[in-house]
Amino acid sequence: MASTQLIRQWTLLQELAVSRFGRTAAELARAAEASARTVRRDLADLEAAGFPVERLRDGREVRYRLAHTKALPQIPLDLHEALALHQAALTASLFHTAAFHEPLESALRKILRTLPERVRNHLGRVSAAWSHRSPASSRAGLLHTLRVLSEQAAARCRVRMRYHNLEAELRDRVVDPYLLRQHNTDVYLLAHCHFRSEVRLFHTERILEVEPLDEEYQMPPGFDPDRVFAESLGVFLGPAGHAVVRFTGWAARYVMHRPLHPDQQVLERADGHVVVRVPVRGHAEITQAVLRFGDRAELLGPPDLRAHVAQQVRTLAERYSRDGEDGQ
């Protein structure tokens, strides 16, 4: 009985957490497979336990959601859970993302304060053994932008945003936010742009303002946002295709231990070289990937991609054949 109630209340918390506009008791009852009366009683219990349940009146209806401005109740972590969270936060890729670095550091400090002195001293030594560079400061308000985008994507609701692209154009756009994607230390938004009438990728650092809209959208039938990135080396959205690259020497050993892509196929392997086939989208990312290995990598095909890389190499060779502007 207790486990059934716990599962039901956990379901309610998940529903409340992903809804910016709130859920009615009837909607929550359907999600939890319980009566509206039971749901109201569970909500009262959660509120009494310290969860920030907020009531919003929408005409004659009451909608429930989790307030974002209140602190969460104390969570009873045991020692092993606290240690695991501390280490996970310290080594997570998000820790090196500017928008999340400060709140994660704050969380680490709070975890440390709850631990015995002997454990704190041990974690201090462990932390000192992990080297990391604090990221450059992020745009003011980036965390707010990410929160709004994630909530709107979860609710399948549009946003209006002011975006500054790399061509120095500042435009107001209405988009359907599909998902947020972290790449290296940056966070990108994959969304349908109504200005361009196509799916676009937006660097969240260049979203200067964001306004949630109470306008629902439908994902195109059969469209899988994750599949878009499965065919890319990183986050580019060019035409889908494949590239074949030969690596020699240390570069061959490197790409065998650190594949360029999870779906990398080894076509040929011999002493001193390896030939791999990787999915790509457009020219930009595979060109960067090949050039960073210098003369230890050669893009074999397809022909148009090889010609593109060859042109880049000729341009660089011409540039470096000249003396630098300062003569050094």
Side-chain angles (χ1 to χ4, degrees):
M1 184 70 166
S3 61
T4 302
Q5 182 186 35
L6 182 61
I7 293 171
R8 190 175 63 243
Q9 291 181 352
W10 178 244
T11 300
L12 294 177
L13 286 174
Q14 289 179 307
E15 288 292 316
L16 296 175
V18 300
S19 173
R20 189 176 72 84
F21 301 107
R23 298 278 196 266
T24 66
E27 291 170 337
L28 292 171
R30 286 193 294 271
E33 298 182 352
S35 68
R37 181 179 179 181
T38 298
V39 162
R40 292 190 185 94
R41 186 173 63 244
D42 283 340
L43 292 172
D45 290 343
L46 290 170
E47 191 172 11
F51 287 93
V53 178
E54 186 177 37
R55 292 168 177 79
L56 305 172
R57 186 159 294 279
D58 182 10
R60 293 185 176 182
E61 287 187 322
V62 175
R63 307 185 78 85
Y64 301 87
R65 69 176 183 182
L66 289 182
H68 296 283
T69 56
K70 300 179 182 179
L72 290 173
Q74 294 296 315
I75 301 174
L77 299 177
D78 65 28
L79 178 60
H80 295 292
E81 290 170 336
L83 290 173
L85 278 176
H86 182 278
Q87 191 66 12
L90 182 65
T91 58
S93 58
L94 281 179
F95 191 67
H96 304 278
T97 301
F100 300 105
H101 187 88
E102 185 176 341
L104 279 173
E105 279 201 325
S106 175
L108 288 178
R109 289 193 295 269
K110 290 179 180 179
I111 290 175
L112 284 175
R113 285 199 294 268
T114 67
L115 300 175
E117 182 179 1
R118 188 175 177 181
V119 177
R120 289 201 305 270
N121 293 337
H122 171 72
L123 285 181
R125 293 191 295 271
V126 170
S127 299
W130 287 86
S131 174
H132 77 275
R133 177 183 297 171
S134 298
S137 58
S138 62
R139 175 185 60 77
L142 179 57
L143 267 179
H144 169 74
T145 296
L146 295 177
R147 180 177 66 79
V148 171
L149 292 174
S150 62
E151 289 176 354
Q152 292 294 100
R156 291 285 186 262
C157 287
R158 297 188 173 106
V159 299
R160 178 181 290 109
M161 63 187 195
R162 176 156 292 185
Y163 188 70
H164 195 195
N165 63 23
L166 289 178
E167 285 73 40
E169 299 171 332
L170 186 61
R171 294 186 182 276
D172 290 330
R173 300 172 185 245
V174 173
V175 304
D176 301 344
Y178 290 160
L179 57 77
L180 291 164
R181 174 83 169 192
Q182 185 185 4
H183 179 60
N184 296 328
T185 58
D186 296 312
V187 182
Y188 296 85
L189 170 69
L190 182 71
H192 175 81
C193 175
H194 290 267
F195 176 73
R196 298 288 188 185
S197 297
E198 63 182 359
V199 174
R200 306 276 288 192
L201 198 67
F202 301 94
H203 194 310
T204 55
E205 283 272 7
R206 297 200 294 273
I207 300 176
L208 305 184
E209 299 175 15
V210 62
E211 174 191 355
L213 301 178
D214 191 7
E215 300 176 11
E216 294 187 357
Y217 68 83
Q218 296 293 324
M219 192 83 74
F223 180 74
D224 182 0
D226 283 315
R227 187 62 196 166
V228 173
F229 296 111
E231 298 170 342
S232 173
L233 285 183
V235 292
F236 274 52
L237 299 183
H242 288 83
V244 178
V245 190
R246 178 191 291 119
F247 295 94
T248 59
W250 64 264
R253 294 187 291 275
Y254 182 92
V255 298
M256 290 304 297
H257 288 287
R258 293 288 302 274
L260 297 181
H261 191 278
D263 294 334
Q264 172 177 301
Q265 294 178 307
V266 178
L267 303 181
E268 178 184 327
R269 187 178 183 184
D271 186 26
H273 82 271
V274 63
V275 178
V276 300
R277 184 175 186 261
V278 293
V280 297
R281 278 188 170 272
H283 292 172
E285 287 180 327
I286 186 61
T287 300
Q288 295 168 10
V290 169
L291 292 181
R292 74 187 175 102
F293 289 100
D295 63 354
R296 298 296 181 177
E298 179 185 1
L299 198 145
L300 303 179
D304 64 322
L305 191 50
R306 179 179 171 88
H308 174 78
V309 174
Q311 181 57 52
Q312 296 292 309
V313 172
R314 285 192 293 269
T315 300
L316 289 172
E318 180 182 352
R319 182 174 299 162
Y320 282 95
S321 67
R322 304 189 300 265
D323 290 336
E325 292 182 1
D326 57 4
Q328 298 179 358

